[in-house]
Amino acid sequence: MILQDDRNNAQYRNTVDAFLRLRRYGVGEYYRGLTAILLRNGPATFLYFGFKDTLKERLLPEDGPLLSGIDSGLRKEAIRNFLTGATLGCVISSLFYPLNVIRIQMQTAEVGSKRMSVWAAGKALYEERGGKVRLMTAGMGIHVTRSFVFWGCMTLFSELVRDCLHKFQS
């Protein structure tokens, strides 16, 4: 995030330069925002794997109306996998988007400054955005769109690899 923040463009030449310069602030500077990441990724991963198969079977059954016009079993399964991942990606990304915004707030704080807790960063961000929850979710549309494509493709390809490995083992 340091290199993505244009306030730091003149300070760091590249990733290696930033990595080496951060050493003087201690190892904690490399992990700024880790709490927000863990609070977002832990439950999000649990939800993804907890609902992936159920969503696929209940909302996208093989003989359901959405897939009725597709005759190829492989195509049908690929579409089911993509839509399952895409749907979960959108829902989960939407639920945890505020934590993502807070993480960015934490990681773009001035290098070497006191690290904020998730709560303090969220409160500061809320105040910075005029006390409006709506402004805390600015940019969510593009994030959800990216998540739709990313998680759809990730689920599709991970299931293809899993199936190939399963066939290889048998």
Side-chain angles (χ1 to χ4, degrees), residues 34-46 92-93 96-97 99-101 103-104 143:
L34 180 63
T35 309
I37 292 169
L38 294 173
L39 286 171
R40 178 193 65 187
N41 289 5
T45 301
F46 174 80
I92 294 169
S93 291
F96 292 97
Y97 186 75
L99 269 174
N100 199 47
V101 175
R103 173 197 57 87
I104 293 167
H143 180 77

Side-chain angles (χ1 to χ4, degrees), residues 151-169:
W151 284 107
C153 291
M154 184 61 73
T155 303
L156 169 64
F157 292 122
S158 68
E159 292 296 318
L160 282 172
V161 169
R162 189 176 64 92
D163 290 346
C164 287
L165 289 174
H166 182 69
K167 287 177 185 175
F168 181 73
Q169 290 175 344

Side-chain angles (χ1 to χ4, degrees), residues 53-128:
D53 293 335
T54 302
L55 180 69
K56 184 175 172 181
E57 295 305 320
R58 291 203 179 153
L59 293 182
L60 299 165
E62 286 184 51
D63 57 348
L66 184 66
L67 303 169
S68 62
I70 302 167
D71 53 356
S72 166
L74 185 58
R75 259 192 227 126
K76 196 178 278 193
E77 192 60 21
I79 292 169
R80 287 178 75 210
N81 288 329
F82 180 86
L83 290 175
T84 298
T87 303
L88 279 171
C90 284
V91 171
I92 294 169
S93 291
S94 297
L95 287 173
F96 292 97
Y97 186 75
L99 269 174
N100 199 47
V101 175
I102 290 169
R103 173 197 57 87
I104 293 167
Q105 175 82 359
M106 295 169 79
Q107 291 179 336
T108 57
E110 186 177 336
V111 174
S113 65
K114 184 176 184 277
R115 283 181 285 288
M116 292 185 276
S117 68
V118 172
W119 182 256
K123 187 177 175 189
L125 188 63
Y126 180 74
E127 290 169 1
E128 182 182 299

